[in-house]
Amino acid sequence: MEFYSRSYLENYRLIGNGVSLVLLFGMILFFGFLMFRWFKGSISVRGKQISLLFLILVLLFGLLKISEFQDRNNQEKISKNTASVIKGLSEKFNVSEDEIYVNTKEITEHTVYKIKDKFYQIHWVNNSILVEEMKVPYIDDIKILDGNENNKK
């Protein structure tokens, strides 16, 4: 079973943004170059056909990126929700946020929380919580993914 820290979840979300921006910027530069040559008149008929094909590909890529942006926006909402839950638990358990780990990237009612060396399933009832401590028979099967370190047990 894997547990994620708050910093790991934040870093996981940021990696994809940089790659997408670089790829999109490169495509825009290339498309701008083709359009400049098109309007200047120094491009052949074959080049115009290739540039039209490229324009269609850029439009399809743009639509794909819009869909990915919406998915990423939803992931950010989930990540912010997870961060606020971890912050609330750190206040209620009087521990730092770095000592709380969750077993899923999206908080659900079946999420298992690792707080210090104990495992809990927490049920939210209005603004109060119902805490159920869990017994984990095999501690060796637990992998903790932290934003600062790759793996630790």
Side-chain angles (χ1 to χ4, degrees):
M1 182 182 306
E2 293 181 347
F3 284 87
Y4 308 102
S5 69
R6 179 186 50 84
S7 59
Y8 177 85
L9 293 173
E10 289 174 354
N11 290 339
Y12 177 78
R13 174 178 49 112
L14 295 175
I15 290 173
N17 293 346
V19 174
S20 296
L21 284 176
V22 169
L23 189 59
L24 187 61
F25 184 70
M27 290 183 76
I28 289 172
L29 282 178
F30 184 69
F31 182 68
F33 173 74
L34 284 178
M35 288 296 108
F36 173 75
R37 292 207 44 204
W38 177 307
F39 288 118
K40 191 175 177 185
S42 63
I43 193 167
S44 67
V45 173
R46 182 171 181 237
K48 288 180 182 182
Q49 290 173 342
I50 291 173
S51 62
L52 283 175
L53 178 64
F54 184 73
L55 176 63
I56 292 169
L57 290 176
V58 166
L59 289 174
L60 289 174
F61 181 75
L63 292 174
L64 177 68
K65 287 299 167 183
I66 288 172
S67 174
E68 287 178 7
F69 175 75
Q70 290 172 341
D71 290 342
R72 191 177 311 125
N73 196 12
N74 290 337
Q75 279 298 113
E76 286 183 22
K77 287 178 184 176
I78 290 169
S79 177
K80 287 178 184 177
N81 181 34
T82 303
S84 68
V85 167
I86 289 175
K87 183 178 180 183
L89 287 175
S90 71
E91 292 171 359
K92 293 197 183 281
F93 279 87
N94 293 327
V95 296
S96 72
E97 292 179 16
D98 296 331
E99 295 179 277
I100 299 176
Y101 298 91
V102 294
N103 72 329
T104 61
K105 295 177 183 173
E106 181 177 352
I107 300 291
T108 65
E109 63 184 56
H110 303 293
T111 300
V112 176
Y113 301 85
K114 180 182 180 295
I115 302 173
K116 291 191 176 185
D117 291 331
K118 295 185 178 180
F119 299 89
Y120 301 96
Q121 190 166 18
I122 297 173
H123 307 282
W124 295 87
V125 181
N126 296 332
N127 287 335
S128 60
I129 60 173
L130 176 64
V131 179
E132 177 182 0
E133 187 173 345
M134 302 176 73
K135 300 291 182 192
V136 179
Y138 302 107
I139 296 289
D140 294 338
D141 293 342
I142 294 176
K143 185 186 340 180
I144 296 177
L145 301 174
D146 199 345
N148 302 327
E149 305 169 10
N150 289 338
N151 294 328
K152 72 177 185 180
K153 288 191 179 188

